[in-house]
């Protein structure tokens, strides 16, 4: 009689002085070795076809993980949505940055720097053309772009993690003041500052009119500040804003129009352009911005993405 394996023919095994059970075990072992040899040969040939580097990094596959989950082809093994979620969790429970501790500020700036470097925003002209920025955004976190007067204990976990990369103003607008402003939990538009620690304000882009407005809901009413914007000639991700309107609507019906303050400034400065905002990251869910006063902003489409 004869017994066949996948690639080798054995004849007259009944003449061997081996019990039938031992013969079956040897055949099974031979089949496994032959299969593994063929699989290894295919993998080696595949790596050789990819060049020397692939061959040098060749490792035999772990057969016990062939059916395991596939890793995503992402930066550092972390997907873009995961990076966004980490940042949103980091800015939660900070009252729009007002109550953020030094360690929390540092962590947020590091996450922001990481996202900005991996997924930088395209030019603002492209952002506007795609209309991804159009509509309402909720300002969830504000802070200085640089950590000042913040002491991290030497040897602590935060100290070991390293520093967040520093953001610097590039190609500043000659007619707009660039200065550092401690914007923790507050916003400033054309010199008018408003606390936003209690409720995330709205930032509304209307591309059809080239306008941007900030709406802040306060205990006694609402403040609305805004104007027109244009794409900067000095930095392709920067919007130069001409603030022209400032309206305060109090709950008991009184309305105040403070737009004349911007008119006075225009007369003094010789231009109605009085601020700029860079979009350094944008997706359907989240936007990161930097302002001419050194502030950093995190905004989301969904107000509930962040716990105040």
């Amino acid at each position: 009689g004869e017994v066949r394996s996948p690639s080798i023919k054995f004849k007259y095994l009944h003449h061997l002085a081996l019990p039938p059970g031992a013969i079956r075990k040897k055949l099974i072992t031979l089949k496994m070795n032959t299969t593994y040899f063929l699989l290894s040969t295919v993998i080696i040939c595949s790596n050789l076809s990819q060049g020397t580097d692939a061959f040098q990094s060749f490792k035999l596959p772990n057969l016990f993980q062939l059916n395991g989950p596939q890793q995503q082809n992402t930066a550092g093994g972390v997907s873009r949505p995961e990076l966004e979620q980490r940042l949103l969790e980091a800015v939660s429970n900070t009252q729009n940055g007002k109550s953020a501790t030094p360690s929390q500020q540092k962590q947020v700036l590091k996450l922001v720097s990481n996202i900005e470097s991996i997924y930088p925003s395209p030019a603002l002209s492209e952002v506007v053309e795609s209309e991804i920025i159009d509509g309402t955004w909720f300002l969830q976190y504000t802070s200085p772009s640089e950590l000042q007067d913040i002491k991290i204990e030497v040897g602590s976990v935060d100290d070991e993690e390293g520093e967040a990369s520093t953001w610097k103003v590039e190609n500043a607008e000659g007619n707009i003041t660039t200065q550092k402003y401690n914007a923790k939990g507050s916003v400033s538009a054309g010199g008018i500052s408003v606390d936003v620690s209690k409720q995330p304000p709205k930032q509304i882009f209307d591309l059809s009119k080239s306008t941007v407005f900030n709406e802040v809901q306060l205990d006694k009413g609402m403040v609305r500040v805004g104007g027109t914007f244009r794409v900067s000639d000095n930095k392709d991700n920067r919007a130069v804003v001409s603030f022209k309107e400032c309206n305060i609507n109090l709950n008991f019906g009184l309305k105040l129009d403070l737009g004349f303050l911007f008119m006075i400034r225009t007369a003094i400065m010789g231009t109605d352009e009085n601020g700029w905002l860079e979009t350094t990251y944008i997706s359907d869910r989240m936007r990161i911005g930097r302002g001419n006063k050194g502030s950093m902003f995190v905004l989301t489409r969904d107000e509930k993405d962040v716990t105040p």
Side-chain angles (χ1 to χ4, degrees):
E2 65 178 37
V3 180
R4 298 178 181 272
S5 72
S7 60
I8 302 175
K9 184 187 335 181
F10 293 90
K11 295 183 178 182
Y12 310 112
L13 285 178
H14 62 277
H15 294 300
L16 297 176
L18 291 173
I23 293 175
R24 282 195 297 272
K25 289 182 179 180
K26 285 183 176 292
L27 289 175
I28 292 172
T29 301
L30 180 59
K31 289 180 180 180
M32 292 179 63
N33 289 339
T34 302
T35 302
Y36 189 77
F37 171 78
L38 292 174
L39 179 60
S40 300
T41 301
V42 170
I43 294 174
I44 291 174
C45 292
S46 175
N47 279 275
L48 282 173
S49 66
Q50 297 175 19
T52 305
D53 291 338
F55 177 71
Q56 290 176 343
S57 62
F58 167 75
K59 292 182 180 180
L60 289 177
N62 187 338
L63 296 180
F64 296 100
Q65 295 181 352
L66 288 178
N67 295 323
Q70 299 294 319
Q71 290 189 350
Q72 298 184 33
N73 184 21
T74 55
V78 181
S79 68
R80 186 170 181 171
E82 287 176 310
L83 287 174
E84 289 186 345
Q85 186 60 35
R86 289 183 183 183
L87 176 56
L88 296 179
E89 290 176 358
V91 304
S92 289
N93 302 301
T94 64
Q95 294 181 295
N96 211 305
K98 184 176 183 178
S99 63
T101 65
S103 295
Q104 285 176 312
Q105 282 185 271
K106 181 178 180 181
Q107 180 190 14
V108 169
L109 286 178
K110 286 177 62 179
L111 289 169
V112 165
S113 298
N114 192 28
I115 292 174
E116 288 174 332
S117 62
I118 298 174
Y119 303 105
S121 172
L124 184 60
S125 58
E126 298 178 29
V127 172
V128 171
E129 185 177 358
S130 69
E131 299 186 353
I132 190 174
I133 200 172
D134 197 33
T136 300
W137 297 82
F138 291 91
L139 179 60
Q140 304 285 11
Y141 183 87
T142 60
S143 81
S145 290
E146 296 182 69
L147 298 180
Q148 293 181 313
D149 302 323
I150 293 180
K151 296 181 180 180
I152 301 296
E153 183 180 351
V154 177
S156 67
V157 174
D158 294 303
D159 178 63
E160 294 174 356
E161 290 179 348
E163 297 295 333
S165 61
T166 303
W167 178 81
K168 298 292 185 182
V169 175
E170 298 178 359
N171 304 323
E173 306 296 322
N175 57 343
I176 298 176
T177 302
T178 301
Q179 61 186 31
K180 296 180 180 179
Y181 168 70
N182 187 5
K184 290 181 62 177
S186 65
V187 293
S188 177
I192 299 176
S193 299
V194 181
D195 184 282
V196 295
S197 59
K198 293 184 178 180
Q199 184 176 346
K202 296 178 182 179
Q203 187 170 89
I204 306 168
F205 275 87
D206 187 342
L207 298 183
S208 65
K209 300 178 181 178
S210 296
T211 60
V212 56
F213 279 88
N214 294 324
E215 291 185 359
V216 184
Q217 188 67 47
L218 305 175
D219 292 337
K220 297 181 180 181
M222 184 188 72
V223 179
R224 177 180 166 90
V225 181
T228 58
F229 73 90
R230 67 172 176 85
V231 178
S232 170
D233 296 326
N234 298 331
K235 194 81 186 298
D236 65 3
N237 68 343
R238 179 184 296 163
V240 179
V241 184
S242 300
F243 290 104
K244 299 178 180 180
E245 298 182 31
C246 178
N247 299 306
I248 301 176
N249 299 326
L250 300 178
N251 293 338
F252 54 84
L254 180 63
K255 295 182 180 181
L256 301 175
D257 185 352
L258 303 181
F260 68 91
L261 295 175
F262 295 131
M263 296 175 63
I264 295 174
R265 184 190 182 283
T266 298
I268 296 174
M269 302 298 294
T271 177
D272 62 355
E273 295 181 344
N274 40 32
W276 53 256
L277 174 67
E278 294 179 2
T279 296
T280 56
Y281 173 81
I282 190 167
S283 69
D284 292 331
R285 183 187 188 189
M286 187 173 73
R287 180 163 63 92
I288 298 174
R290 309 271 190 164
N292 62 290
K293 293 192 174 181
S295 303
M296 186 277 294
F297 310 95
V298 178
L299 306 97
T300 63
R301 281 294 192 185
D302 188 346
E303 182 179 6
K304 297 181 180 180
D305 270 344
V306 171
T307 304

